[in-house]
Amino acid sequence: MSDELIIFAEEDSNDSDSLANTSNARPWKVLVVDDDKDVHEATKFGLKGLVFLNQPLELIHAYSASEATAILSAESNIAVILLDVVMETEHAGLELIKVIRDDLQLHNTRIILRTGQPGYAPEIEVILKYDINDYKNKADLTRTRLYTTVTAAIRSFSEITAIDTSRKGLERIVHASSELMSLHGIRELANGIITQLAALLGIPAEGMICFKTNPDPQMNADDFTVVAASGELAAGISSQSFTVEDANIRAMLSDSASKRRSVENEYACVLFFPSECRNDMLLYLDIQRPLEDTEQQLLEVFCRNISVCLDNATILDRLHNYAYFDSLLDIPNRVSFANHIDKMMQKQVENQVIILIDIDHFSGINDTLGTESGDELLRLIANRFSSFLPEDIFICRVSGDTFGLMGPQESLIPKNISDNLSKPFQLFGDDLSISITQGFYVLKDANISGTNAIKRANIALKRAKAIVRGDAVEYTHEIERETHQRMLLLQGLRKAHAENELYLAYQPQIDLHTGRINGLEALMRWKTKSGTMITPDQFIPVAESSGMIVPLGEWVMETALRDLEYLEKQYNLNLQMGINISPAQFRHPNFLEMVSHKLQNLTLAAEQIEFEVTESVAMMDTEKVREILQVIHDSGARVAIDDFGTGFSCLSYLETLNFDRLKIDKSFIDKMMSKTTSTHIPEMIISLGKDLNMAVIAEGVETEEQVERLKELSCFEAQGYFFGRPMELSQLKEWIENHIA
Ligand code: C2E
Ligand code: CA
Ligand code: CA
């Protein structure tokens, strides 16, 4: 059958340019460029009613190359151009091709050249270089031929476009994924996803991302928490609860969540992102038009990629959480505390105070009740804080049993805090009461960093713990200076111990019946290389609070026993050696082990050793103390109470705990200087000793008068400058030699 000729004249031109009005699908745009009106009409007629791949055709008409250029610059997605070669000029058509490909960069648009002159053909070069789809003689364009030519071109256009869209889309996805990977936190990621997706589909960023709060799809399907929303959708979110208010959107979200896959209708789609690490994520996107196949495929790829980003962001969130939150109590940690202080300082918020709060004897609670109870107590304390403190107070855990607070001075009053925390806690059904020690710093110095502010509060806290446990201390520069001094002192002490700058001095103890020496007290001495004496009153407290006293005490015991062995060999006086034991040593778990080790292979009788402890030892766990005393007594050694009368007011422990001797504190002996002054306390101590079957020795005896009065009160043991000062071994030998004669 011969080709049906195009009959130009017969056609009426009343038809609309849209050749198929039946479908509202996006039409294929075909641009007809020709300076001959008849050709336009003939083309219109030839392509009338054409629907290809379910889409109608839309003809656009240009009558010159320049008009065509204008249209091409304004219209997007022109599938095919039917282009006349000869128009304004002989090469106007060919020049237009250059504009289309080179200037306008339209590479997907198919071009069909048409010429009226039989025998005229454009240079082959042009066809190759500019990707010309077809070349037709106008006379050849029968309806059927036109049909075939145009549909072939459209098919080619749609394929090229699809490939191009996928390629660009994939490039975008790769780009988007790497962009999104670098975003920290879910919220930022969610915003990024909406933006990238909108760009991918070439639509405005109207979307929201939410998590299904209840992971069980059978349960209330309306539980979604929005993490990000953009455009007009942001307005439809309740800002307090971050819930979705639009019923249609909610229905679509529920549908997607229950099917666990993406769903769409002609206006919107919900993309479903399963997550390994957290609740599944859903993205609602306003698309305003049905998605094309290629777009749908791209979305699938996108979703797979984004799920990886999502898990990645979740991990980052967790890391963030680890870095800034206390995992046990789920409140901010020290790092957050410092950041918060920095922020408040930047904002120049005035009247702020930071408080560090330490739970007294927390390690004891942990030891006796177990760490589980300790953890629970910390939780209860954290809850207690939020129950009575105003909302604007920053609450965090700084370390183990130390909490940090920051807020306006008027709402953070130490007394109020300790009152609230002194009310009992219900710890697994039992009442437990605690006390706290606080150090606080009022942020007056506007230039201080968060870290340094915390350091200052900590200096105050340490001071409070050292001197007023249960109370609060405010940071001052003075305290900091002293703290610094103590630190230097401690460093010096360590060095002194290592470099043998420490030695022992021995003070004689006298039997007042005979006036003879019957014992010694070992007292530590520190003489620096430059010859300066540093007194025990300066360095012992530092050694005690730092724990340094434990190795020092061991050295004292070793040295004192070795010297006593030596003295016994020399003089055979059966002397007793008093060794001071500070509470920190007594409490130390290895104390008994250390003692029994030192007592082994000793040529002395254990009875010759007397440990001096202060009354504060009696405040420790009675059972523990009784046990230690028992072991010491079993070994044969003795225990005296030092500085008796100055410490613990309740004396009942004397009946339950077994001590051997009371040392009357020097302050009471000082008051015995004149005959008129009272001797009530020494008298009482002496009779107490008698009643409880304990020996009594007077300390700090400096005068003959004191000696006489002690004898009158039947105290027959004494120690003091009156008899002899503490002396180093060589001097002591001299002293002994002068006194035993
Ligand atoms: P303390 O155990 O009460 O020691 C008695 C203190 O009184 C000694 O001071 C001693 O030199 C001083 N003293 C003795 N007789 C007189 C006197 O008649 N008049 C005056 N004014 N003072 C007298 P020292 O040696 O300065 O020691 C001070 C404190 O340091 C000791 O008090 C003791 O608590 C502690 N200490 C000293 N050596 C050691 C030790 O090796 N271990 C432990 N844990 N503490 C020690
Ligand atoms: Ca002593
Ligand atoms: Ca004493």
Side-chain angles (χ1 to χ4, degrees), residues 395-449:
I395 304 169
C396 70
R397 183 188 184 197
V398 172
S399 64
D401 62 335
T402 308
F403 289 88
L405 306 177
M406 178 180 193
Q409 245 184 308
E410 62 271 16
S411 17
L412 281 183
I413 297 151
K415 168 90 170 70
N416 178 36
I417 295 170
S418 63
D419 284 353
N420 272 288
L421 287 186
S422 65
K423 294 173 195 152
F425 289 90
Q426 276 280 317
L427 192 65
F428 298 128
D430 289 324
D431 270 2
L432 182 81
S433 291
I434 58 160
S435 69
I436 56 165
T437 303
Q438 308 176 67
F440 62 101
Y441 172 55
V442 181
L443 289 150
K444 295 175 202 139
D445 185 351
N447 281 323
I448 194 167
S449 71

Short mmCIF file of all heavy atoms in Angstrom, two decimals, residues 395-449:
data_model
loop_
_atom_site.label_atom_id
_atom_site.label_comp_id
_atom_site.label_asym_id
_atom_site.label_seq_id
_atom_site.Cartn_x
_atom_site.Cartn_y
_atom_site.Cartn_z
N ILE A 395 21.17 20.06 85.86
CA ILE A 395 21.53 18.98 86.78
C ILE A 395 22.38 17.97 86.02
O ILE A 395 21.99 17.52 84.95
CB ILE A 395 20.27 18.26 87.31
CG1 ILE A 395 19.32 19.26 87.97
CG2 ILE A 395 20.65 17.14 88.28
CD1 ILE A 395 17.96 18.70 88.29
N CYS A 396 23.52 17.61 86.56
CA CYS A 396 24.33 16.61 85.87
C CYS A 396 25.12 15.78 86.87
O CYS A 396 25.15 16.08 88.07
CB CYS A 396 25.30 17.29 84.90
SG CYS A 396 26.60 18.19 85.72
N ARG A 397 25.72 14.70 86.36
CA ARG A 397 26.59 13.88 87.19
C ARG A 397 28.01 14.14 86.71
O ARG A 397 28.33 13.91 85.54
CB ARG A 397 26.23 12.40 87.03
CG ARG A 397 27.04 11.49 87.92
CD ARG A 397 26.73 10.06 87.53
NE ARG A 397 27.38 9.08 88.38
CZ ARG A 397 27.50 7.80 88.03
NH1 ARG A 397 27.02 7.39 86.89
NH2 ARG A 397 28.11 6.96 88.83
N VAL A 398 28.82 14.62 87.61
CA VAL A 398 30.17 15.03 87.24
C VAL A 398 31.13 13.83 87.27
O VAL A 398 31.98 13.68 86.41
CB VAL A 398 30.65 16.15 88.18
CG1 VAL A 398 32.11 16.45 87.96
CG2 VAL A 398 29.81 17.39 87.97
N SER A 399 30.94 12.98 88.27
CA SER A 399 31.74 11.76 88.36
C SER A 399 31.08 10.89 89.41
O SER A 399 30.10 11.32 90.03
CB SER A 399 33.17 12.09 88.78
OG SER A 399 33.15 12.64 90.08
N GLY A 400 31.61 9.72 89.62
CA GLY A 400 31.08 8.72 90.57
C GLY A 400 29.91 9.17 91.42
O GLY A 400 28.75 9.02 91.03
N ASP A 401 30.20 9.74 92.58
CA ASP A 401 29.11 10.14 93.46
C ASP A 401 29.06 11.66 93.59
O ASP A 401 28.64 12.18 94.61
CB ASP A 401 29.26 9.48 94.84
CG ASP A 401 30.54 9.89 95.54
OD1 ASP A 401 31.49 10.28 94.84
OD2 ASP A 401 30.58 9.84 96.78
N THR A 402 29.50 12.35 92.55
CA THR A 402 29.46 13.81 92.58
C THR A 402 28.50 14.34 91.52
O THR A 402 28.62 14.01 90.35
CB THR A 402 30.87 14.38 92.34
OG1 THR A 402 31.77 13.76 93.24
CG2 THR A 402 30.88 15.88 92.57
N PHE A 403 27.55 15.15 91.97
CA PHE A 403 26.60 15.78 91.07
C PHE A 403 26.98 17.24 90.88
O PHE A 403 27.64 17.83 91.73
CB PHE A 403 25.18 15.70 91.64
CG PHE A 403 24.61 14.31 91.62
CD1 PHE A 403 24.83 13.44 92.67
CD2 PHE A 403 23.85 13.89 90.53
CE1 PHE A 403 24.30 12.15 92.64
CE2 PHE A 403 23.33 12.61 90.49
CZ PHE A 403 23.55 11.74 91.55
N GLY A 404 26.55 17.80 89.75
CA GLY A 404 26.79 19.22 89.49
C GLY A 404 25.49 19.93 89.22
O GLY A 404 24.61 19.39 88.56
N LEU A 405 25.36 21.14 89.76
CA LEU A 405 24.17 21.94 89.51
C LEU A 405 24.61 23.32 89.05
O LEU A 405 25.64 23.82 89.48
CB LEU A 405 23.33 22.11 90.78
CG LEU A 405 22.90 20.86 91.56
CD1 LEU A 405 22.15 21.28 92.82
CD2 LEU A 405 22.00 19.99 90.69
N MET A 406 23.82 23.92 88.18
CA MET A 406 24.08 25.31 87.84
C MET A 406 22.75 26.03 87.69
O MET A 406 21.80 25.47 87.12
CB MET A 406 24.84 25.42 86.53
CG MET A 406 25.07 26.87 86.14
SD MET A 406 25.98 27.02 84.60
CE MET A 406 26.40 28.75 84.65
N GLY A 407 22.70 27.26 88.19
CA GLY A 407 21.47 28.02 88.07
C GLY A 407 21.60 29.33 88.82
O GLY A 407 22.67 29.64 89.35
N PRO A 408 20.52 30.10 88.85
CA PRO A 408 20.55 31.38 89.56
C PRO A 408 20.81 31.16 91.05
O PRO A 408 20.28 30.21 91.63
CB PRO A 408 19.14 31.95 89.35
CG PRO A 408 18.44 31.04 88.42
CD PRO A 408 19.20 29.79 88.25
N GLN A 409 21.59 32.06 91.62
CA GLN A 409 21.98 31.93 93.02
C GLN A 409 20.78 31.83 93.96
O GLN A 409 20.83 31.09 94.94
CB GLN A 409 22.80 33.14 93.42
CG GLN A 409 24.22 32.79 93.77
CD GLN A 409 24.97 34.00 94.26
OE1 GLN A 409 24.98 35.02 93.59
NE2 GLN A 409 25.57 33.89 95.42
N GLU A 410 19.73 32.57 93.61
CA GLU A 410 18.60 32.58 94.55
C GLU A 410 17.87 31.22 94.60
O GLU A 410 17.24 30.90 95.58
CB GLU A 410 17.62 33.72 94.24
CG GLU A 410 16.95 33.65 92.88
CD GLU A 410 17.75 34.36 91.80
OE1 GLU A 410 18.96 34.64 92.04
OE2 GLU A 410 17.19 34.62 90.72
N SER A 411 18.01 30.41 93.55
CA SER A 411 17.34 29.10 93.64
C SER A 411 18.28 27.97 94.03
O SER A 411 17.84 26.86 94.24
CB SER A 411 16.59 28.75 92.35
OG SER A 411 16.99 29.50 91.27
N LEU A 412 19.57 28.26 94.11
CA LEU A 412 20.51 27.20 94.52
C LEU A 412 21.14 27.56 95.86
O LEU A 412 22.24 28.12 95.91
CB LEU A 412 21.59 27.00 93.46
CG LEU A 412 21.19 26.18 92.23
CD1 LEU A 412 22.37 26.00 91.30
CD2 LEU A 412 20.64 24.82 92.63
N ILE A 413 20.45 27.23 96.91
CA ILE A 413 20.95 27.56 98.25
C ILE A 413 21.42 26.26 98.92
O ILE A 413 20.63 25.32 99.09
CB ILE A 413 19.86 28.25 99.08
CG1 ILE A 413 19.50 29.57 98.39
CG2 ILE A 413 20.30 28.47 100.52
CD1 ILE A 413 18.09 30.02 98.60
N PRO A 414 22.73 26.18 99.23
CA PRO A 414 23.28 24.92 99.77
C PRO A 414 22.48 24.33 100.92
O PRO A 414 22.23 23.13 100.95
CB PRO A 414 24.68 25.34 100.23
CG PRO A 414 25.04 26.46 99.31
CD PRO A 414 23.76 27.20 99.04
N LYS A 415 22.03 25.19 101.84
CA LYS A 415 21.29 24.69 103.00
C LYS A 415 20.00 24.00 102.54
O LYS A 415 19.64 22.92 103.01
CB LYS A 415 20.97 25.88 103.91
CG LYS A 415 19.98 25.61 105.02
CD LYS A 415 20.70 25.16 106.28
CE LYS A 415 19.78 25.10 107.48
NZ LYS A 415 18.78 24.03 107.44
N ASN A 416 19.33 24.62 101.59
CA ASN A 416 18.09 24.07 101.06
C ASN A 416 18.35 22.72 100.38
O ASN A 416 17.58 21.76 100.54
CB ASN A 416 17.52 25.08 100.06
CG ASN A 416 16.25 24.59 99.42
OD1 ASN A 416 15.45 23.92 100.06
ND2 ASN A 416 16.09 24.88 98.13
N ILE A 417 19.46 22.64 99.66
CA ILE A 417 19.79 21.39 98.97
C ILE A 417 20.07 20.28 99.97
O ILE A 417 19.53 19.18 99.86
CB ILE A 417 21.01 21.61 98.04
CG1 ILE A 417 20.63 22.59 96.92
CG2 ILE A 417 21.48 20.28 97.45
CD1 ILE A 417 21.79 23.06 96.10
N SER A 418 20.87 20.59 101.00
CA SER A 418 21.19 19.50 101.94
C SER A 418 19.96 19.12 102.77
O SER A 418 19.79 17.95 103.10
CB SER A 418 22.39 19.86 102.82
OG SER A 418 22.08 20.96 103.61
N ASP A 419 19.08 20.09 103.05
CA ASP A 419 17.85 19.74 103.77
C ASP A 419 17.01 18.77 102.95
O ASP A 419 16.49 17.78 103.47
CB ASP A 419 17.02 21.00 104.05
CG ASP A 419 17.61 21.81 105.20
OD1 ASP A 419 18.55 21.30 105.84
OD2 ASP A 419 17.14 22.94 105.43
N ASN A 420 16.88 19.07 101.66
CA ASN A 420 16.06 18.21 100.82
C ASN A 420 16.65 16.82 100.65
O ASN A 420 15.93 15.84 100.52
CB ASN A 420 15.86 18.86 99.44
CG ASN A 420 14.65 19.76 99.44
OD1 ASN A 420 13.52 19.29 99.47
ND2 ASN A 420 14.89 21.07 99.45
N LEU A 421 17.98 16.76 100.63
CA LEU A 421 18.60 15.45 100.44
C LEU A 421 18.72 14.66 101.73
O LEU A 421 19.02 13.47 101.72
CB LEU A 421 19.99 15.60 99.80
CG LEU A 421 19.96 15.99 98.32
CD1 LEU A 421 21.36 15.97 97.75
CD2 LEU A 421 19.08 15.07 97.51
N SER A 422 18.50 15.35 102.87
CA SER A 422 18.63 14.62 104.13
C SER A 422 17.35 13.84 104.45
O SER A 422 17.36 12.99 105.34
CB SER A 422 19.01 15.56 105.27
OG SER A 422 17.95 16.45 105.48
N LYS A 423 16.29 14.13 103.72
CA LYS A 423 15.08 13.31 103.92
C LYS A 423 15.38 11.90 103.40
O LYS A 423 16.03 11.76 102.36
CB LYS A 423 13.90 13.90 103.14
CG LYS A 423 13.47 15.26 103.69
CD LYS A 423 12.43 15.91 102.80
CE LYS A 423 12.29 17.38 103.14
NZ LYS A 423 11.84 18.18 101.99
N PRO A 424 14.91 10.87 104.13
CA PRO A 424 15.32 9.50 103.78
C PRO A 424 14.94 9.09 102.35
O PRO A 424 13.96 9.57 101.79
CB PRO A 424 14.59 8.63 104.80
CG PRO A 424 13.86 9.53 105.69
CD PRO A 424 14.04 10.94 105.29
N PHE A 425 15.73 8.18 101.79
CA PHE A 425 15.45 7.61 100.47
C PHE A 425 14.92 6.20 100.66
O PHE A 425 15.37 5.48 101.54
CB PHE A 425 16.74 7.55 99.64
CG PHE A 425 17.22 8.90 99.19
CD1 PHE A 425 18.10 9.64 99.98
CD2 PHE A 425 16.78 9.43 97.99
CE1 PHE A 425 18.52 10.89 99.58
CE2 PHE A 425 17.21 10.67 97.57
CZ PHE A 425 18.08 11.41 98.37
N GLN A 426 13.98 5.85 99.81
CA GLN A 426 13.44 4.48 99.84
C GLN A 426 14.29 3.61 98.94
O GLN A 426 14.09 3.57 97.72
CB GLN A 426 12.00 4.50 99.32
CG GLN A 426 10.97 4.84 100.37
CD GLN A 426 10.65 3.64 101.23
OE1 GLN A 426 10.49 2.53 100.71
NE2 GLN A 426 10.59 3.83 102.55
N LEU A 427 15.24 2.92 99.55
CA LEU A 427 16.16 2.11 98.74
C LEU A 427 15.74 0.66 98.83
O LEU A 427 15.96 0.00 99.84
CB LEU A 427 17.59 2.32 99.24
CG LEU A 427 18.68 1.78 98.35
CD1 LEU A 427 18.73 2.52 97.02
CD2 LEU A 427 20.04 1.90 99.04
N PHE A 428 15.12 0.16 97.77
CA PHE A 428 14.60 -1.21 97.73
C PHE A 428 13.81 -1.53 98.99
O PHE A 428 14.02 -2.56 99.63
CB PHE A 428 15.74 -2.22 97.54
CG PHE A 428 16.48 -2.04 96.24
CD1 PHE A 428 17.86 -1.92 96.22
CD2 PHE A 428 15.79 -1.94 95.03
CE1 PHE A 428 18.54 -1.75 95.02
CE2 PHE A 428 16.46 -1.77 93.84
CZ PHE A 428 17.83 -1.67 93.83
N GLY A 429 12.92 -0.61 99.36
CA GLY A 429 12.03 -0.88 100.49
C GLY A 429 12.56 -0.42 101.83
O GLY A 429 11.82 -0.35 102.80
N ASP A 430 13.86 -0.12 101.93
CA ASP A 430 14.41 0.34 103.21
C ASP A 430 14.66 1.84 103.19
O ASP A 430 14.96 2.40 102.14
CB ASP A 430 15.74 -0.36 103.49
CG ASP A 430 15.52 -1.82 103.83
OD1 ASP A 430 14.50 -2.12 104.47
OD2 ASP A 430 16.36 -2.64 103.41
N ASP A 431 14.53 2.44 104.36
CA ASP A 431 14.85 3.87 104.47
C ASP A 431 16.35 4.05 104.57
O ASP A 431 17.00 3.35 105.34
CB ASP A 431 14.20 4.44 105.73
CG ASP A 431 12.80 4.95 105.43
OD1 ASP A 431 12.37 4.79 104.26
OD2 ASP A 431 12.15 5.48 106.35
N LEU A 432 16.89 4.96 103.79
CA LEU A 432 18.32 5.23 103.89
C LEU A 432 18.51 6.74 103.94
O LEU A 432 17.96 7.47 103.11
CB LEU A 432 19.06 4.65 102.69
CG LEU A 432 20.57 4.86 102.75
CD1 LEU A 432 21.22 3.82 103.64
CD2 LEU A 432 21.17 4.80 101.36
N SER A 433 19.26 7.19 104.94
CA SER A 433 19.53 8.62 105.03
C SER A 433 20.97 8.90 104.64
O SER A 433 21.86 8.11 104.96
CB SER A 433 19.28 9.11 106.45
OG SER A 433 17.90 9.05 106.71
N ILE A 434 21.15 10.00 103.98
CA ILE A 434 22.51 10.35 103.59
C ILE A 434 22.79 11.80 104.00
O ILE A 434 21.87 12.55 104.33
CB ILE A 434 22.73 10.24 102.06
CG1 ILE A 434 21.74 11.15 101.32
CG2 ILE A 434 22.61 8.82 101.59
CD1 ILE A 434 22.16 11.47 99.90
N SER A 435 24.05 12.14 103.97
CA SER A 435 24.40 13.55 104.11
C SER A 435 25.29 13.90 102.92
O SER A 435 25.84 13.01 102.28
CB SER A 435 25.13 13.80 105.43
OG SER A 435 26.40 13.21 105.39
N ILE A 436 25.35 15.19 102.63
CA ILE A 436 26.14 15.59 101.47
C ILE A 436 27.12 16.70 101.84
O ILE A 436 26.93 17.40 102.83
CB ILE A 436 25.24 16.12 100.32
CG1 ILE A 436 24.36 17.26 100.82
CG2 ILE A 436 24.41 14.99 99.73
CD1 ILE A 436 23.72 18.05 99.69
N THR A 437 28.17 16.80 101.05
CA THR A 437 29.13 17.89 101.21
C THR A 437 29.14 18.66 99.91
O THR A 437 29.09 18.06 98.83
CB THR A 437 30.52 17.33 101.53
OG1 THR A 437 30.42 16.52 102.71
CG2 THR A 437 31.53 18.44 101.77
N GLN A 438 29.16 20.00 100.01
CA GLN A 438 29.05 20.81 98.80
C GLN A 438 30.20 21.80 98.66
O GLN A 438 30.69 22.35 99.64
CB GLN A 438 27.73 21.60 98.81
CG GLN A 438 26.51 20.73 99.06
CD GLN A 438 25.25 21.57 99.17
OE1 GLN A 438 24.81 22.18 98.19
NE2 GLN A 438 24.68 21.63 100.35
N GLY A 439 30.59 21.99 97.42
CA GLY A 439 31.55 23.04 97.11
C GLY A 439 30.90 23.90 96.05
O GLY A 439 30.34 23.37 95.09
N PHE A 440 30.90 25.20 96.22
CA PHE A 440 30.24 26.01 95.19
C PHE A 440 31.09 27.20 94.77
O PHE A 440 31.99 27.65 95.49
CB PHE A 440 28.84 26.44 95.61
CG PHE A 440 28.77 27.32 96.85
CD1 PHE A 440 28.61 28.69 96.73
CD2 PHE A 440 28.85 26.76 98.11
CE1 PHE A 440 28.53 29.50 97.86
CE2 PHE A 440 28.78 27.56 99.25
CZ PHE A 440 28.62 28.92 99.12
N TYR A 441 30.79 27.65 93.57
CA TYR A 441 31.54 28.76 93.00
C TYR A 441 30.55 29.72 92.35
O TYR A 441 29.78 29.33 91.49
CB TYR A 441 32.54 28.24 91.97
CG TYR A 441 33.23 29.33 91.18
CD1 TYR A 441 33.91 30.35 91.83
CD2 TYR A 441 33.19 29.33 89.80
CE1 TYR A 441 34.53 31.36 91.11
CE2 TYR A 441 33.81 30.34 89.06
CZ TYR A 441 34.48 31.35 89.73
OH TYR A 441 35.09 32.35 89.02
N VAL A 442 30.57 30.96 92.80
CA VAL A 442 29.70 31.98 92.22
C VAL A 442 30.44 32.58 91.02
O VAL A 442 31.58 33.01 91.15
CB VAL A 442 29.37 33.07 93.26
CG1 VAL A 442 28.45 34.11 92.66
CG2 VAL A 442 28.74 32.44 94.49
N LEU A 443 29.81 32.52 89.86
CA LEU A 443 30.48 32.92 88.63
C LEU A 443 30.57 34.44 88.51
O LEU A 443 29.77 35.07 87.84
CB LEU A 443 29.73 32.34 87.43
CG LEU A 443 29.88 30.83 87.30
CD1 LEU A 443 28.66 30.24 86.65
CD2 LEU A 443 31.12 30.48 86.50
N LYS A 444 31.59 34.95 89.16
CA LYS A 444 31.75 36.41 89.11
C LYS A 444 32.68 36.79 87.97
O LYS A 444 32.50 37.79 87.32
CB LYS A 444 32.36 36.92 90.42
CG LYS A 444 31.46 36.72 91.61
CD LYS A 444 32.20 37.14 92.88
CE LYS A 444 31.60 36.48 94.11
NZ LYS A 444 32.57 36.02 95.06
N ASP A 445 33.64 35.94 87.75
CA ASP A 445 34.68 36.22 86.77
C ASP A 445 34.16 35.85 85.38
O ASP A 445 34.10 34.70 85.02
CB ASP A 445 35.89 35.36 87.13
CG ASP A 445 37.07 35.65 86.25
OD1 ASP A 445 36.89 36.39 85.26
OD2 ASP A 445 38.16 35.15 86.55
N ALA A 446 33.77 36.83 84.60
CA ALA A 446 33.06 36.58 83.35
C ALA A 446 33.91 35.87 82.30
O ALA A 446 33.39 35.38 81.32
CB ALA A 446 32.53 37.89 82.79
N ASN A 447 35.21 35.82 82.53
CA ASN A 447 36.05 35.24 81.48
C ASN A 447 36.43 33.78 81.70
O ASN A 447 37.22 33.24 80.96
CB ASN A 447 37.34 36.06 81.36
CG ASN A 447 37.08 37.31 80.57
OD1 ASN A 447 36.29 37.29 79.64
ND2 ASN A 447 37.71 38.39 80.98
N ILE A 448 35.87 33.19 82.72
CA ILE A 448 36.31 31.83 83.05
C ILE A 448 35.63 30.80 82.15
O ILE A 448 34.49 30.94 81.76
CB ILE A 448 36.04 31.55 84.54
CG1 ILE A 448 36.79 30.31 84.99
CG2 ILE A 448 34.55 31.41 84.80
CD1 ILE A 448 36.83 30.15 86.48
N SER A 449 36.39 29.75 81.80
CA SER A 449 35.83 28.68 80.97
C SER A 449 35.04 27.72 81.86
O SER A 449 35.24 27.69 83.07
CB SER A 449 36.94 27.91 80.29
OG SER A 449 37.64 27.14 81.24
#
